[in-house]
Amino acid sequence: MPKIRKDNKGRNLRPGETQRSDGNYMFVYMLGKKKKYIYDTDLAALRAKEKQLTKDADDGVRTQEAMKITLNDMFKVLMDTKLQLKASTRANYEYLWSSYIKDEPFANTPLPNIRKSDILTFYTKLLKKGFAINSLESINNLVHPALELAVDDDYIRKNPSKGVYRSLKSEGSGKPAKTRIALTKEQQKNFLRFISKSPMYSHWLPVMVVLLGTGLRVGECTGLTKNDVDLENNTISVNHNLIYRVIDGKAGFHITTPKTASGTRTIPILYPEVAEQLRALIEVMDALYPEDLVMNGYHGFLFRNRSGYFLSAHNINRAIERISIAYNAEEMDQAELEDREPSLLPHFSVHNLRHTFCTRLCESTNDIKFIQQVMGHADFSTTMDIYTHITQENMKEKAEVIKGNLVLM
């Protein structure tokens, strides 16, 4: 009968257990044909680990294999499985991971050692840095699936990120999402009229009119070709985007298809000014741009920069800033001469032109499905949220007007 080994406190040691000369405890076991070791300073704690190992083995959880795998490794596996992912989306995911997650301690920790508190601490740190809660969702949409894949592969028993983002969002953590700015009807008219009369900025009128008059996303607008415009039926076909991205380490313009089925759509031209600008541009574009641009089979691009090359969102945003500054300076001088309050333009970007169009649409119709189709919203709730917000704002304004005319006694 084999002799029972004891520790320095006289306690019996089980098979595989040893107390080392430094007083620490070790347990040796076999993983396949290889010996593996776990350690602890306390015998009871070591046996708790032994028990967990046995339970994991019985349940098929590959804990010891997972000790060599990190979250960064799982993200790479996740990306390798996304065969249908667009190059631009893949580049965006990899940029987010590299910029915010890759160098975090928990991303370089063996998977079984990642705790829920690690994810919570990381998310909270981002919120303290100024992340809006909606921006944090983009990070969670990478971390959570990578850990979920580790669960599916039996590397970990449960996903430590589960419920973390949802709880932060329900608590109202972080900065609220930025309030969407929509130009008023007066601001919209002043902006376009100033451009049309300006010798310096008048060449920006076609793209600004189309953006404000169609609600197209900036990539949908800058990617428009002559073949996408049907002036006989007063429609525009939206079937691709022109984007500027770093893909595979190279920065440049790329053609992508819409992310969702609802993004591919045919929209009506609702403003006659849009049709007029498009017709005039199509008539002169061959003279303006003798050299046709071709990308991924698309050609006849309507909107170009002064060099005849593709137009980017950055180009348009810089133009909006310069035009707004020039307009406001002129308007303040004019208002002072006329002894009145100036009607100034707020600070806004190209995306606010899309929201301005959506606002005009919501003010004109309560047909939510029509608004959703024109805007290309994939989710009906997105349209509904905007519509509800805009109609509530209008109700407040109308209520103030009505209150001034009501007398009860």
Side-chain angles (χ1 to χ4, degrees), residues 169-377:
K169 187 175 183 180
S170 64
E171 290 168 6
S173 303
K175 292 195 309 182
K178 290 183 180 179
T179 303
R180 296 183 182 95
I181 295 174
L183 301 182
T184 64
K185 290 178 182 177
E186 181 186 15
Q187 290 168 343
Q188 176 181 310
K189 289 178 180 177
N190 288 341
F191 177 65
L192 293 179
R193 284 173 181 170
F194 178 79
I195 297 173
S196 67
K197 294 176 182 177
S198 169
M200 183 176 292
Y201 300 116
S202 59
H203 63 283
W204 286 105
L205 188 62
V207 70
M208 297 301 180
V209 166
V210 171
L211 285 164
L212 261 172
T214 63
L216 291 175
R217 298 176 178 90
V218 62
E220 294 170 343
C221 182
T222 56
L224 275 183
T225 70
K226 188 161 58 173
N227 292 332
D228 299 322
V229 179
D230 183 351
L231 292 174
E232 286 187 15
N233 295 301
N234 251 13
T235 60
I236 293 174
S237 173
V238 184
N239 51 67
H240 61 277
N241 306 291
L242 177 69
I243 61 170
Y244 186 85
R245 285 277 168 79
V246 176
I247 297 178
D248 296 331
K250 296 180 181 179
F253 286 95
H254 304 270
I255 292 289
T256 66
T257 52
K259 285 186 178 181
T260 62
S262 56
T264 301
R265 62 202 189 278
T266 298
I267 62 171
I269 297 175
L270 301 174
Y271 289 93
E273 293 89 346
V274 172
E276 289 168 14
Q277 289 297 327
L278 288 172
R279 182 175 288 105
L281 189 58
I282 289 169
E283 286 176 358
V284 301
M285 66 178 295
D286 290 338
L288 280 175
Y289 314 117
E291 187 177 340
D292 196 10
L293 291 177
V294 180
M295 181 173 286
N296 290 29
Y298 292 92
H299 64 94
F301 291 91
L302 295 175
F303 300 113
R304 316 269 196 93
N305 62 22
R306 285 193 162 180
S307 301
Y309 199 56
F310 295 115
L311 200 58
S312 70
H314 178 66
N315 298 147
I316 298 173
N317 277 325
R318 284 185 61 194
I320 289 173
E321 185 177 8
R322 293 197 302 268
I323 292 165
S324 297
I325 291 171
Y327 165 82
N328 284 342
E330 184 178 294
E331 171 62 11
M332 282 190 288
D333 290 343
Q334 191 64 31
E336 188 175 351
L337 286 174
E338 297 174 5
D339 193 25
R340 60 174 174 80
E341 285 294 315
S343 178
L344 301 178
L345 293 173
H347 177 75
F348 65 97
S349 70
V350 64
H351 187 72
N352 298 118
L353 301 184
R354 174 171 162 82
H355 187 57
T356 298
F357 171 82
C358 189
T359 299
R360 297 291 93 82
L361 215 52
C362 292
E363 291 168 349
S364 304
T365 179
N366 59 4
D367 188 336
I368 307 298
K369 289 300 291 182
F370 175 77
I371 298 171
Q372 181 189 12
Q373 184 177 343
V374 172
M375 297 303 297
H377 291 152

Side-chain angles (χ1 to χ4, degrees), residues 25-263:
Y25 294 90
M26 177 179 75
F27 175 70
V28 59
Y29 66 100
M30 298 299 294
L31 184 64
K33 295 182 179 180
K34 291 186 178 180
K35 283 186 178 181
K36 296 289 182 180
Y37 305 87
I38 56 174
Y39 303 89
D40 209 290
T41 57
D42 179 70
L43 183 57
L46 181 77
R47 287 176 173 172
K49 291 179 180 178
E50 293 175 38
K51 185 177 180 181
Q52 187 62 48
L53 275 174
T54 303
K55 180 173 173 51
D56 288 346
D58 291 343
D59 294 345
V61 180
R62 301 151 65 190
T63 305
Q64 290 309 300
E65 289 178 66
M67 292 303 291
K68 294 184 178 180
I69 302 172
T70 68
L71 183 58
N72 281 327
D73 296 326
M74 288 311 300
F75 175 71
K76 185 177 184 306
V77 174
L78 181 68
M79 287 296 98
D80 288 344
T81 65
K82 302 288 186 182
L83 299 179
Q84 301 302 318
L85 209 59
K86 293 178 185 174
S88 58
T89 305
R90 184 181 298 276
N92 187 46
Y93 288 170
E94 290 175 348
Y95 167 79
L96 286 173
W97 192 272
S98 177
S99 299
Y100 298 104
I101 305 167
K102 182 182 176 184
D103 295 326
E104 289 293 321
F106 77 93
N108 295 281
T109 298
L111 288 170
N113 292 346
I114 300 174
R115 301 289 176 257
K116 192 164 192 169
S117 59
D118 297 326
I119 309 297
L120 179 60
T121 300
F122 171 58
Y123 286 2
T124 303
K125 182 177 78 171
L126 291 179
L127 292 173
K128 285 180 178 177
K129 280 185 175 180
F131 260 62
I133 191 67
N134 289 348
S135 300
L136 183 62
E137 185 175 11
S138 300
I139 300 294
N140 184 65
N141 286 344
L142 298 178
V143 171
H144 183 80
L147 287 168
E148 198 64 25
L149 184 59
V151 173
D152 292 342
D153 280 353
D154 296 320
Y155 288 133
I156 52 178
R157 189 174 291 276
K158 59 183 180 179
N159 188 335
S161 72
K162 188 174 181 179
V164 176
Y165 170 74
R166 193 184 309 115
S167 66
L168 288 171
K169 187 175 183 180
S170 64
E171 290 168 6
S173 303
K175 292 195 309 182
K178 290 183 180 179
T179 303
R180 296 183 182 95
I181 295 174
L183 301 182
T184 64
K185 290 178 182 177
E186 181 186 15
Q187 290 168 343
Q188 176 181 310
K189 289 178 180 177
N190 288 341
F191 177 65
L192 293 179
R193 284 173 181 170
F194 178 79
I195 297 173
S196 67
K197 294 176 182 177
S198 169
M200 183 176 292
Y201 300 116
S202 59
H203 63 283
W204 286 105
L205 188 62
V207 70
M208 297 301 180
V209 166
V210 171
L211 285 164
L212 261 172
T214 63
L216 291 175
R217 298 176 178 90
V218 62
E220 294 170 343
C221 182
T222 56
L224 275 183
T225 70
K226 188 161 58 173
N227 292 332
D228 299 322
V229 179
D230 183 351
L231 292 174
E232 286 187 15
N233 295 301
N234 251 13
T235 60
I236 293 174
S237 173
V238 184
N239 51 67
H240 61 277
N241 306 291
L242 177 69
I243 61 170
Y244 186 85
R245 285 277 168 79
V246 176
I247 297 178
D248 296 331
K250 296 180 181 179
F253 286 95
H254 304 270
I255 292 289
T256 66
T257 52
K259 285 186 178 181
T260 62
S262 56

Side-chain angles (χ1 to χ4, degrees), residues 372-388:
Q372 181 189 12
Q373 184 177 343
V374 172
M375 297 303 297
H377 291 152
D379 192 342
F380 181 76
S381 64
T382 303
T383 315
M384 199 66 221
D385 286 347
I386 296 171
Y387 179 80
T388 302

